[in-house]
């Protein structure tokens, strides 16, 4: 008798793609009751031992089947004190809109020998797989359960995954279960506390739900912190010495090694010593080959950061489009921390698929003709997915404009990874002038190599230097003392915010874009173009000096304000910056002023939680142990916040009602 295998994917499109690959196109499609998007695909497939030839039903869910909520008598906001939500019972239920999907799985499992789970191979996918298993076991307790491990929907890869199933990772399931419970308890308790207390202040807060999330608040904290660094910035005057020399019809600017000083008298004395010396001596002359390294293989965080910089879309849009491209089989799974290719991946075969493109096809062919280089190896490997890369070629005419930009970026990044570094020649001339040292640098790009295809990087030849001789002595054409003022940092951009979240463990590579979107939806921050146009006027009138102080003096070359981070200037088009609303400022300052050991606006509590999630995945801590440890840390914060709620009210009065002005009355 032919055995039946039930296969369940995380998304309808994945179920359809996998079914067509396994069936070779010979599929019977059946609609299910209660959901127009999910189908059952029936076909035959040989899974090899121990299952052999099988009758297969392939279906799907749409994300999580189940949700977690408090018992019915604690769901109303006035049912208990907010702090009691840390301890009351929670129940797992099937979401109402997902019951038809769960019932379909239960029904199909009754006739199956085994369940093959085809959810995404990450933590969240593992937990969704456990929810699928739970629904299937209701229909058949004797069911064998396996999961397919795959990172793209290319046919050969899907067939390989079907023939080599593995077990669900119970540790990852438990880590997500812990995170879901903590998100519910922490989110509900702090949201009820904030909302009920601040609504009493009336006016614009009277009917406002003031939501809390353990990832969203540190994300908001980063935005507020940068905002006040800009608003409270006090410019300081500095002085410098500039030396220029004209030779061979070229004006060469020599930079002062000290860069700049904040003491006018000291600079004046050093400048006069230079003038007294009259002549400068070439103390160092160096010409050497230099390179600009090709990029590392692409991770999710880099895709979000660079997508928001270069593709004229925000990180959430980038990830949505990348997910669609993955579902359609054009790129690999776009949620990965891995920046190194496994030696078993045939990179040249992937390059070969891109040869047919009219734009980058000739470059791909050149790689196959001998220019191919093994990609650099990064430091990260999540042991689940390879770096993001194209798995199949698709003509640009078959994609939407946004899909085209993301797909092109992924392809160009991949081809750039497989290329030679850019090559150039750098020249350095160093002068001793008086007691001071000055230098000039020149760059000549000789071979662009990867830059030919990866057009998002810039490396251009700089000023050409005329010929100088070592120990040569000459009188500079001009030496002058200059002055200027330090400038403030820019408001936080999305690439910068993602970098801060990544460095501080706020969210995962898969959820950062969601958290950024959430603080916008909750109207804690607004967004505008870095050029200064757009909306987000909510906090512009807040007076300077209400929070924080003068920026500290930075390292040499950075001054007290320093240059804008990541080299992004205020005129960069398409780069968005975040401005907190008055409520966003009030919430962060309110918690900061409570004297908490760790403010909710800082990343440390959430970062510690994420470390504990990884300990569950590693098997060094149990789920219940982690949940209790985290709750105890936040319980102390909530008790203090309840006791000092007037501090939060004062911050709201200051920002939301008085536009940032202190009111002693």
């Amino acid at each position: 008798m032919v055995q039946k295998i039930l296969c369940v994917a995380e998304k309808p499109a994945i179920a359809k793609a996998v079914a067509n690959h396994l069936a070779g196109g010979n599929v019977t499609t059946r609609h299910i009751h209660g959901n127009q998007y999910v189908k059952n695909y029936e076909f035959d497939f040989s899974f090899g031992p121990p299952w052999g030839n099988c009758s297969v039903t392939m279906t799907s869910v749409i994300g999580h089947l189940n949700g977690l909520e408090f018992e019915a008598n604690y769901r109303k906001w006035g049912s208990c004190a907010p702090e009691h939500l840390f301890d009351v019972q929670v129940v797992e239920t099937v979401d109402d809109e997902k019951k038809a999907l769960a019932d379909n799985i239960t029904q199909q499992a009754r006739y199956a020998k085994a369940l093959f789970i085809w959810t995404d191979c990450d933590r969240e996918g593992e937990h969704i797989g456990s929810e699928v298993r739970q629904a299937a076991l209701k229909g058949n307790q004797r069911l064998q359960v396996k999961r397919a491990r795959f990172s793209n929907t290319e046919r050969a890869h899907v067939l390989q995954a079907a023939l080599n199933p593995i077990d669900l990772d119970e540790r990852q399931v438990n880590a997500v279960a812990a995170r879901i419970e903590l998100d519910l308890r922490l989110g509900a308790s702090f949201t009820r506390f904030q909302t009920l207390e601040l609504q009493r202040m009336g006016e614009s807060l009277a009917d406002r739900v003031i939501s809390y999330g353990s990832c969203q608040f540190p994300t908001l904290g980063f935005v507020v912190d940068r905002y006040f660094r800009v608003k409270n910035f006090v410019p300081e005057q500095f002085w410098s010495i500039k030396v220029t020399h004209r030779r061979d019809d070229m004006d060469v600017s020599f930079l002062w090694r000290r860069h700049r000083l904040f003491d006018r008298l000291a600079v004046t004395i050093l400048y006069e010593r230079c003038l007294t010396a009259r002549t400068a001596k070439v103390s160092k002359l160096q010409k050497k080959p230099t390179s600009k390294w090709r990029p590392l293989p692409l991770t999710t965080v880099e895709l979000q950061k660079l997508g928001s910089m270069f593709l004229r879309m925000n990180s959430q849009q980038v990830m949505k489009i990348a997910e669609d491209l993955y579902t359609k089989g054009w790129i690999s799974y776009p949620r990965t921390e891995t920046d190194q290719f496994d030696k078993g991946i045939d990179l040249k075969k992937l390059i070969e698929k891109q040869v047919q493109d009219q734009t980058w096809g000739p470059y791909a062919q050149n790689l196959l003709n001998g220019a191919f280089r093994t990609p650099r190896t990064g430091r990260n490997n999540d042991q689940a997915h390879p770096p993001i890369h194209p798995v199949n070629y698709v003509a640009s005419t078959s994609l939407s404009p946004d899909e085209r930009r993301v797909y092109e970026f992924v392809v160009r990044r991949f081809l750039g990874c497989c290329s030679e570094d850019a090559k150039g020649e750098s020249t350095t001339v160093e002068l001793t002038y008086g007691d001071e040292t000055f230098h000039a640098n020149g760059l000549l790009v000789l071979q662009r190599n990867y830059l030919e295809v990866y057009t998002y990087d810039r490396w251009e030849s700089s000023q050409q230097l005329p010929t100088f001789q070592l120990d040569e002595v000459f009188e500079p054409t001009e030496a002058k003392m200059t002055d200027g003022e330090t400038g403030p940092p820019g408001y936080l951009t999305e690439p910068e915010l993602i970098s801060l979240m990544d460095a501080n463990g706020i969210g995962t590579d898969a959820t950062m874009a969601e958290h950024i979107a959430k603080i916008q939806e909750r109207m804690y921050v607004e967004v505008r173009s870095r050029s200064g146009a757009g909306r987000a006027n909510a906090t512009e009138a807040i007076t300077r000096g209400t929070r924080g102080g003068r920026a500290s003096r930075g390292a040499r070359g950075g001054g007290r304000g320093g240059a804008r981070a990541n080299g992004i200037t205020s005129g960069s088009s398409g780069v968005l910056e975040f401005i907190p609303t008055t409520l966003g400022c009030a919430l962060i300052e309110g918690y900061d002023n409570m004297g908490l050991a760790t403010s909710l606006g800082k990343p440390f509590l959430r970062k510690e939680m994420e470390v504990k999630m990884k300990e569950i995945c590693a098997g060094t801590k149990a789920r219940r142990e982690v949940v209790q440890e985290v709750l105890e840390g936040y319980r102390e914060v909530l008790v203090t916040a309840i006791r000092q709620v007037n501090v939060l009210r004062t911050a709201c009065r200051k920002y939301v009602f008085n536009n940032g002005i202190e009111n002693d009355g």
Side-chain angles (χ1 to χ4, degrees):
M1 180 179 176
V2 176
Q3 298 183 98
K4 178 178 177 179
I5 300 289
L6 172 62
C7 295
V8 183
E10 188 173 325
K11 309 176 186 72
I14 297 294
K16 182 177 181 180
V18 171
N20 282 324
H21 287 326
L22 297 184
N26 189 17
V27 178
T28 300
T29 304
R30 302 191 188 281
H31 296 269
I32 74 164
H33 177 71
N35 191 290
Q36 61 178 318
Y37 302 107
V38 173
K39 309 286 191 298
N40 288 345
Y41 301 100
E42 299 174 355
F43 54 92
D44 295 329
F45 182 75
S46 178
F47 285 93
W51 294 282
N53 256 339
C54 297
S55 172
V56 182
T57 296
M58 181 94 202
T59 190
S60 78
V61 292
I62 304 176
H64 284 279
L65 279 175
N66 300 347
L68 197 69
E69 56 187 357
F70 298 112
E71 288 187 332
N73 50 329
Y74 295 108
R75 292 175 194 167
K76 292 185 178 179
W77 282 47
S79 60
C80 68
E83 63 267 30
H84 292 167
L85 296 176
F86 280 35
D87 303 304
V88 301
Q89 288 294 312
V90 293
V91 291
E92 187 177 23
T93 59
V94 178
D95 295 337
D96 288 342
E97 66 273 19
K98 304 293 181 66
K99 285 181 177 177
L101 307 184
D103 290 343
N104 179 52
I105 292 169
T106 301
Q107 181 70 24
Q108 295 300 323
R110 289 175 182 164
Y111 314 106
K113 177 73 173 178
L115 168 68
F116 277 29
I117 294 167
W118 289 78
T119 52
D120 293 341
C121 293
D122 55 17
R123 266 197 227 166
E124 212 71 23
E126 218 68 13
H127 193 276
I128 294 170
S130 75
E131 296 169 15
V132 170
R133 175 179 61 188
Q134 184 178 345
L137 291 176
K138 286 182 180 178
N140 184 350
Q141 288 289 330
R142 300 184 303 277
L143 205 61
Q144 299 179 52
V145 180
K146 292 288 183 180
R147 77 111 71 237
R149 183 172 182 175
F150 65 106
S151 59
N152 64 70
T153 56
E154 193 267 333
R155 183 174 183 276
H157 186 70
V158 167
L159 293 175
Q160 186 71 12
L163 296 173
N164 296 278
I166 59 174
D167 294 324
L168 272 178
D169 188 332
E170 300 298 339
R171 293 173 177 175
Q172 291 196 48
V173 172
N174 287 331
V176 175
R179 193 265 305 156
I180 290 172
E181 180 178 349
L182 289 168
D183 283 352
L184 172 66
R185 293 188 186 276
L186 299 176
S189 58
F190 280 97
T191 296
R192 290 189 191 183
F193 159 67
Q194 293 176 167
T195 302
L196 294 174
E197 291 293 346
L198 297 181
Q199 280 183 347
R200 295 173 185 170
M201 300 183 71
E203 297 186 35
S204 61
L205 299 180
D207 300 311
R208 182 84 176 260
V209 174
I210 304 172
S211 298
Y212 169 82
S214 61
C215 280
Q216 285 85 41
F217 259 55
T219 303
L220 171 61
F222 291 134
V223 176
V224 172
D225 180 68
R226 178 65 71 85
Y227 174 78
F228 280 107
R229 282 178 56 198
V230 175
K231 285 298 173 185
N232 297 334
F233 184 83
V234 178
E236 292 189 72
Q237 193 168 14
F238 61 82
W239 291 265
S240 186
I241 302 172
K242 182 180 179 182
V243 174
T244 306
H245 187 64
R246 184 169 184 80
R247 176 173 292 185
D248 299 338
D249 295 326
M250 288 184 276
D251 290 317
V252 183
S253 296
F254 291 88
L255 303 178
W256 192 22
R257 177 179 285 179
R258 299 179 192 266
H259 183 53
R260 61 190 182 188
L261 296 179
F262 294 89
D263 186 328
R264 183 177 184 275
L265 179 59
V267 176
T268 301
I269 292 171
L270 297 174
Y271 172 61
E272 288 178 348
R273 287 178 181 175
C274 292
L275 296 182
T276 301
R278 290 190 60 201
T279 59
K281 180 179 180 180
V282 178
S283 55
K284 181 180 178 182
L285 185 62
Q286 186 178 59
K287 183 176 288 189
K288 63 179 181 179
T290 187
S291 299
K292 183 172 177 61
W293 288 354
R294 60 198 184 279
L296 285 167
L298 185 61
T299 64
T300 303
V301 169
E302 282 296 298
L303 175 62
Q304 292 176 87
K305 286 164 54 177
L306 297 176
S308 63
M309 288 177 67
F310 298 124
L311 304 183
R312 301 190 301 283
M313 57 184 77
N314 63 44
S315 59
Q316 192 175 40
Q317 292 173 305
V318 171
M319 289 308 300
K320 172 65 171 64
I321 293 165
E323 287 273 5
D324 290 344
L325 292 171
Y326 156 70
T327 300
K328 294 174 182 177
W330 305 129
I331 68 172
S332 62
Y333 189 58
R335 301 186 185 275
T336 177
E337 299 174 13
T338 302
D339 55 7
Q340 51 187 255
F341 281 107
D342 187 273
K343 293 180 180 178
I345 297 179
D346 190 342
L347 300 177
K348 290 185 178 180
K349 185 175 181 181
L350 296 172
I351 293 171
E352 189 176 341
K353 294 181 179 182
Q354 300 298 326
V355 169
Q356 57 193 297
D357 188 83
Q358 293 183 352
T359 303
W360 55 77
Y363 188 91
Q365 184 62 60
N366 185 54
L367 292 180
L368 297 176
N369 291 345
F372 172 83
R373 296 294 182 271
T374 301
R376 294 166 56 202
T377 299
R379 298 179 179 179
N380 305 299
N381 191 332
D382 60 19
Q383 303 297 323
H385 298 288
I388 303 167
H389 63 275
V391 295
N392 280 304
Y393 175 75
V394 56
S396 60
T397 53
S398 300
L399 300 172
S400 70
D402 285 347
E403 286 178 328
R404 190 179 309 137
R405 289 204 298 275
V406 175
Y407 179 75
E408 179 174 346
F409 177 82
V410 171
V411 173
R412 288 183 179 276
R413 174 74 172 224
F414 171 68
L415 295 177
C417 289
C418 298
S419 303
E420 180 64 84
D421 297 338
K423 303 292 185 182
E425 183 180 76
S426 68
T427 303
T428 300
V429 178
E430 194 170 277
L431 304 179
T432 299
Y433 187 27
D435 295 328
E436 300 305 300
T437 303
F438 300 82
H439 66 272
N441 296 313
L443 171 67
L444 178 62
V445 176
L446 301 174
Q447 299 173 29
R448 290 180 54 78
N449 295 330
Y450 88 89
L451 293 169
E452 298 287 357
V453 70
Y454 191 65
T455 53
Y456 312 95
D457 267 1
R458 292 286 182 269
W459 200 48
E460 306 292 345
S461 296
S462 62
Q463 67 171 341
Q464 297 299 299
L465 298 182
T467 301
F468 288 91
Q469 301 297 324
L470 187 62
D471 296 328
E472 173 188 353
V473 176
F474 62 90
E475 184 174 347
T477 304
E478 182 182 45
K480 63 182 179 179
M481 187 169 153
T482 63
D483 66 346
E485 279 191 344
T486 57
Y491 294 119
L492 206 60
T493 65
E494 190 164 30
E496 292 169 333
L497 180 54
I498 292 170
S499 293
L500 284 170
M501 294 172 73
D502 184 41
N504 288 279
I506 302 303
T508 65
D509 56 354
T511 61
M512 288 178 191
E514 297 169 18
H515 301 319
I516 293 172
K518 189 67 70 178
I519 60 174
Q520 296 174 61
E521 292 168 13
R522 292 174 175 172
M523 292 188 289
Y524 296 157
V525 305
E526 293 184 343
V527 181
R528 70 181 185 188
S529 161
R530 187 137 220 196
S531 62
R535 49 195 192 92
N537 299 313
T539 52
E540 289 301 329
I542 293 177
T543 56
R544 188 172 75 184
T546 56
R547 174 184 166 96
R550 176 173 294 180
S552 61
R553 185 171 295 184
R556 180 175 59 85
R560 303 195 183 185
R564 297 181 185 273
N566 291 349
I568 305 170
T569 63
S570 59
S572 298
S573 61
V575 177
L576 300 178
E577 60 186 13
F578 296 98
I579 311 292
T581 63
T582 52
L583 179 57
C585 290
L587 291 171
I588 296 303
E589 183 165 299
Y591 283 112
D592 282 358
N593 288 349
M594 287 182 184
L596 298 164
T598 304
S599 171
L600 293 181
K602 305 302 180 187
F604 310 116
L605 283 171
R606 179 66 200 205
K607 184 174 184 177
E608 183 180 352
M609 186 196 302
E610 185 57 34
V611 169
K612 292 181 186 296
M613 297 300 114
K614 292 180 179 178
E615 289 176 332
I616 296 176
C617 292
T620 57
K621 283 201 172 179
R623 168 187 166 186
R624 293 314 315 167
E625 178 186 7
V626 165
V627 169
Q628 289 307 313
E629 287 179 359
V630 173
L631 287 178
E632 286 309 306
Y634 278 91
R635 191 191 307 272
E636 184 178 339
V637 173
L638 182 56
V639 169
T640 303
I642 292 171
R643 191 166 57 243
Q644 299 198 48
V645 66
N646 282 334
V647 176
L648 189 59
R649 289 195 186 118
T650 298
C652 285
R653 200 172 291 116
K654 172 182 173 182
Y655 290 104
V656 179
F657 301 139
N658 295 334
N659 205 27
I661 301 172
E662 297 279 6
N663 185 347
D664 296 331

